[in-house]
Amino acid sequence: MNLIAILRRLLAPALLLPLTALGIDNAVRDYPVEKIAAHTYVIHGPLGQPSVANQGFMNNPGFVVTDTGVVVIDPGSSLETGRMVLRQIKKITPKPVTHVLATHVHGDHWLGNQAIINAYPKAQLMAHPHMIQKANAGEAEVWVSLMDRLTQGYTKGTRAVIPTVMVDENQRFSTGGVTFHILAPKNAHSKTDIMIEVVQDSVLFTGDNVLADYIARLDDGTFKGNIAACDRAIALQAKHYVPGHGKTGDVKMVQRYRDYMATLFAEVQHQYDAGKSDFEMKPAVASKLQNFQTWPGFNEQLGKHISLAVLEIEAM
């Protein structure tokens, strides 16, 4: 047996282990910062579910540099993702983080709070009252465990630092010369949602109420509520929309996502009224969604979305 074959045989068991079990550094790799407006920056994560490959990082952390500090929106899914966000902020400004906003309860968006509060203990952690309530009722720990499992230990060491400052519908606050306007659509993506308008920059952070050419779970929300959230975002006519996942875009990006949600729900309603069950209607619904079949997540989520739409219709 030659040396290469021997090495392969010796290393094969190790290749099956999580990287953290091998003592390999689990720091999240740096992702580029994109300046989208005068004060506003976004780090666009890769599309997909949390995994070893993406180290659990797959959302769009944003930050706004004001005269007196930095406001962070959705710092990511883990301690290490939050640290990566801080490294990228420091490349732009030495100012401290003063506020952190979580768009909803799903932990892939806010478990990075731990890194922020470790570095800036006085930062205000802000979210919808229902988000804070659900996180404290056990949802936070569910997400800590889920991220650890899906990434095979990459996010180990992360603990949930739950927001304490409540923000709600039509609330505004200003800091360092920049005004933030809170929109809180009801019964939308997670029923704990806020969208954040950076007023001076005409930017709207939508959270997962809008995704850019991507389809994800809707287990905790409603189609009607999510469509209404899209309508509110469209009515704002902002210059820039930062989705929960996918690339920042203009109002057309929001309209495309709304069209997916509305088309699916309308066709499920039609098939339901015709007496079809969820599995029987799937081919007809899929045929109405041809414009969306290339979106990542379409095949994985279509059946689930149809079943959820049926349950929503039956509850009406």
Side-chain angles (χ1 to χ4, degrees):
M1 184 180 294
N2 61 34
L3 179 59
I4 292 176
I6 293 171
L7 288 173
R8 283 176 176 167
R9 176 169 291 185
L10 291 173
L11 291 174
L15 295 177
L16 299 177
L17 295 171
L19 295 182
T20 49
L22 301 176
I24 296 173
D25 184 10
N26 67 334
V28 171
R29 66 184 71 92
D30 287 350
Y31 285 77
V33 175
E34 297 182 39
K35 185 175 185 179
I36 65 168
H39 307 87
T40 305
Y41 301 77
V42 180
I43 303 170
H44 292 99
L47 290 177
Q49 297 299 307
S51 66
V52 173
N54 61 31
Q55 303 172 290
F57 172 56
M58 19 68 77
N59 78 305
N60 291 337
F63 60 96
V64 181
V65 180
T66 78
D67 290 343
T68 55
V70 179
V71 177
V72 176
I73 298 167
D74 281 355
S77 63
S78 68
L79 171 62
E80 290 299 337
T81 298
R83 287 173 172 167
M84 183 273 288
V85 171
L86 287 176
R87 289 196 300 272
Q88 302 306 77
I89 290 173
K90 288 176 181 177
K91 293 176 183 178
I92 304 298
T93 179
K95 295 175 182 177
V97 174
T98 57
H99 302 75
V100 185
L101 288 142
T103 58
H104 61 295
V105 75
H106 296 159
D108 57 316
H109 289 260
W110 65 271
L111 288 172
N113 281 0
Q114 181 183 1
I116 308 293
I117 214 68
N118 285 350
Y120 301 102
K122 295 182 180 179
Q124 295 187 49
L125 306 182
M126 311 171 79
H128 191 283
H130 293 165
M131 181 278 184
I132 296 171
Q133 180 183 26
K134 289 188 72 172
N136 280 307
E139 191 79 0
E141 294 307 318
V142 168
W143 275 94
V144 170
S145 298
L146 180 64
M147 294 302 306
D148 181 59
R149 177 172 59 81
L150 292 178
T151 64
Q152 297 182 35
Y154 249 118
T155 64
K156 192 173 296 294
T158 298
R159 61 182 178 82
V161 181
I162 298 170
T164 57
V165 180
M166 294 183 287
V167 291
D168 210 337
E169 173 61 32
N170 210 32
Q171 185 172 334
R172 292 174 183 261
F173 71 93
S174 297
T175 180
V178 179
T179 300
F180 298 84
H181 175 209
I182 306 300
L183 292 76
K186 293 182 178 180
N187 300 322
H189 173 73
S190 71
K191 302 179 183 176
T192 67
D193 304 283
I194 59 171
M195 301 190 290
I196 302 113
E197 179 189 9
V198 186
V199 175
Q200 284 81 357
D201 282 359
S202 191
V203 171
L204 184 68
F205 285 85
T206 68
D208 282 0
N209 297 300
V210 178
L211 308 177
D213 300 341
Y214 175 63
I215 297 170
R217 66 196 293 271
L218 193 68
D219 301 41
D220 301 323
T222 72
F223 281 88
K224 282 196 165 185
N226 210 145
I227 292 165
C230 289
D231 288 338
R232 291 197 66 190
I234 291 166
L236 197 65
Q237 289 295 300
K239 291 182 181 178
H240 312 280
Y241 291 86
V242 183
H245 302 271
K247 290 293 185 179
T248 294
D250 59 17
V251 71
K252 294 178 183 178
M253 178 262 291
V254 184
Q255 185 66 58
R256 287 196 302 273
Y257 188 68
R258 186 202 185 279
D259 287 347
Y260 166 77
M261 304 284 286
T263 302
L264 184 147
F265 193 76
E267 185 59 24
V268 170
Q269 178 78 71
H270 175 72
Q271 296 294 324
Y272 182 84
D273 291 343
K276 299 286 186 67
S277 63
D278 52 3
F279 68 90
E280 291 175 321
M281 66 177 70
K282 186 175 181 180
V285 175
S287 70
K288 292 289 186 178
L289 297 171
Q290 291 182 7
N291 292 337
F292 311 99
Q293 291 184 9
T294 61
W295 287 12
F298 179 86
N299 293 325
E300 295 82 358
Q301 297 297 330
L302 178 59
K304 297 178 185 177
H305 281 190
I306 291 171
S307 296
L308 290 168
V310 168
L311 290 174
E312 186 173 332
I313 289 166
E314 290 178 339
M316 290 167 54

